Amino acid sequence: MIGDKKVLFSGMQATGTLTLGNYLGALKNWVTLSDEYECFYSVVDMHSITVRQDPATLRKRARALLTLYIAAGLDPEKNCIYYQSHVSGHAELMWILNCFTYMGELNRMTQFKDKAAKHADNINAGLFTYPVLMAADILLYQADVVPVGIDQMQHLEITRDIAIRFNNIYGDVFTIPEAYIGKTGAKIMSLQDPGKKMSKSDENPNGSIYLMDDPDTVIRKFKRAVTDSVGCVRYSDEQPGIKNLLDIYCACTGKTPAEAEKEFDGRGYGEFKMAVGEAVVDVLKPLQQRVEDLNRDKAYIDGIIRDNARKADYYATKTLRKVQKKVGFPERIR
Ligand code: TRP
């Protein structure tokens, strides 16, 4: 708890270009949580270097992501928006937690197995201990809730296991975090393959809508979106392409699937796809405008980066000192 509020932590990586899936599935929902919780939203750049990155590109993308958090509506005065690499407590707590995490546990992580297969030439120790850094992120702020996608649930589970293990030895040190599964955290699928999640690392750019795509590009991608031969707009698992388009349409307009089905009853897929494209453009346009405005105000963003790093560091250090004392590190002399 901070004051009378529960603490929320989440983070995103600045690798790749954020997609509509990231926005509708995560970022948009984060905005609705900031009144209820004391929120920490990190740009987790330390996680990003588990895979080789071009330094200039990583730096640029990290800044773009941080800006996007704000453009999406997260008030940086209320929400602690910061770079993970600016708060050294993440790495320091991670080291300690490493000593409370078993190789066998990490070996079971499906994301590690996937990434190791994908980057067979660079299976580094950071890729292996990635979940421990994530545990450190969360536990450092004594987070009560963590909004995560289904693909990160296993990492949240191991975070809980590590925290419980630590608490069993040293007493109540860490808050045990819970997953926050949003109500409308729509899982957006690829426009080209509705069996696959819309991903920033998709090789086929037509499958993903990038948040900075211009209107023409957005419309063109929706025109090409994969549908089916059923020929009617229905929200059904048997029509995954149409279902995904309905999810997108509803997330953008606030309508329910039933309302949308009625709206497009008896109308063709072509017309429906155009409407979805336009609804997306209506959401992206103001977002892109805010990004542009923020980019013009370098000093403002710099101030946010500096102040929020300090704020995050304050809470992080509080937990870290407690943990260091528990494990037997000598007290600092001032
Ligand atoms: N691993 C997460 C992802 O790739 C990002 C992340 C890092 C995170 N630390 C976190 C998410 C802590 C939630 C809480 O999506």
Side-chain angles (χ1 to χ4, degrees):
M1 302 287 274
I2 293 180
D4 58 356
K5 280 187 181 168
K6 286 191 170 178
V7 176
L8 179 153
F9 185 97
S10 200
M12 270 191 216
Q13 292 203 48
T15 36
T17 316
L18 277 233
T19 69
L20 185 66
N22 300 120
Y23 178 69
L24 296 177
L27 206 44
K28 187 165 172 262
N29 297 306
W30 288 6
V31 177
T32 65
L33 298 169
S34 46
D35 285 331
E36 193 178 339
Y37 297 98
E38 186 72 38
C39 300
F40 292 84
Y41 291 119
S42 189
V43 172
V44 291
D45 47 358
M46 290 164 69
H47 277 102
S48 296
I49 64 163
T50 53
V51 176
R52 285 288 166 267
Q53 303 290 338
D54 171 61
T57 308
L58 178 61
R59 210 178 339 267
K60 214 172 90 198
R61 284 181 171 162
R63 175 111 180 175
L65 180 57
L66 187 130
T67 307
L68 189 68
Y69 282 2
I70 301 170
L74 292 174
D75 178 352
E77 309 275 333
K78 275 204 262 166
N79 301 275
C80 191
I81 292 171
Y82 74 101
Y83 295 125
Q84 181 188 32
S85 64
H86 282 190
V87 179
S88 59
H90 290 259
E92 292 181 72
L93 181 61
M94 183 205 186
W95 172 253
I96 296 174
L97 298 182
N98 265 333
C99 303
F100 293 84
T101 308
Y102 297 109
M103 302 284 286
E105 283 179 301
L106 293 174
N107 252 325
R108 283 197 296 273
M109 296 290 119
T110 53
Q111 185 176 295
F112 170 69
K113 288 189 248 186
D114 291 350
K115 285 200 180 171
K118 212 166 144 193
H119 306 277
D121 55 333
N122 182 22
I123 306 178
N124 61 72
L127 203 57
F128 189 61
T129 55
Y130 178 114
V132 189
L133 179 57
M134 188 160 152
D137 298 342
I138 296 166
L139 301 178
L140 203 48
Y141 300 96
Q142 306 286 0
D144 297 277
V145 291
V146 183
V148 280
I150 204 87
D151 61 318
Q152 295 296 314
M153 276 305 280
Q154 203 183 23
H155 291 163
L156 189 62
E157 273 312 312
I158 197 176
T159 298
R160 290 166 53 89
D161 291 343
I162 296 168
I164 291 169
R165 184 173 304 145
F166 195 94
N167 283 0
N168 281 340
I169 306 173
Y170 299 105
D172 267 344
V173 178
F174 294 123
T175 302
I176 310 300
E178 307 263 356
Y180 181 96
I181 312 284
K183 294 150 259 156
T184 50
K187 187 172 176 195
I188 306 299
M189 312 305 276
S190 160
L191 299 184
Q192 290 297 314
D193 176 1
K196 237 174 51 186
K197 195 172 127 176
M198 184 182 284
S199 160
K200 41 191 175 183
S201 45
D202 198 336
E203 312 86 50
N204 183 352
N206 288 322
S208 304
I209 301 290
Y210 300 107
L211 292 182
M212 293 303 138
D213 278 351
D214 61 57
D216 289 347
T217 307
V218 172
I219 298 291
R220 181 173 48 77
K221 287 182 182 175
F222 277 103
K223 275 190 183 158
R224 289 192 191 168
V226 168
T227 52
D228 53 51
S229 55
V230 178
C232 99
V233 178
R234 216 174 352 183
Y235 196 73
S236 144
D237 285 335
E238 269 131 57
Q239 295 175 247
I242 294 295
K243 183 170 185 242
N244 185 40
L245 292 174
L246 277 168
D247 273 331
I248 294 172
Y249 185 70
C250 292
C252 289
T253 58
K255 292 178 186 167
T256 65
E259 285 167 348
E261 276 178 348
K262 218 190 253 162
E263 186 178 346
F264 294 102
D265 187 30
R267 292 162 73 184
Y269 282 172
E271 223 181 309
F272 172 53
K273 289 204 255 184
M274 273 305 284
V276 182
E278 278 160 15
V280 169
V281 168
D282 286 346
V283 166
L284 294 189
K285 250 198 187 152
L287 187 69
Q288 293 170 352
Q289 185 60 52
R290 283 195 294 275
V291 167
E292 222 175 273
D293 293 344
L294 287 166
N295 281 342
R296 254 185 254 116
D297 202 347
K298 182 171 182 305
Y300 170 70
I301 299 286
D302 285 348
I304 299 291
I305 290 171
R306 181 195 55 224
D307 294 348
N308 278 331
R310 281 192 194 142
K311 177 174 166 189
D313 187 65
Y314 169 80
Y315 290 106
T317 303
K318 238 165 87 164
T319 301
L320 188 63
R321 292 291 175 265
K322 203 159 141 190
V323 172
Q324 288 169 330
K325 189 171 170 191
K326 290 286 185 185
V327 299
F329 293 170
E331 209 177 319
R332 276 155 206 258
I333 314 289
R334 273 182 300 188

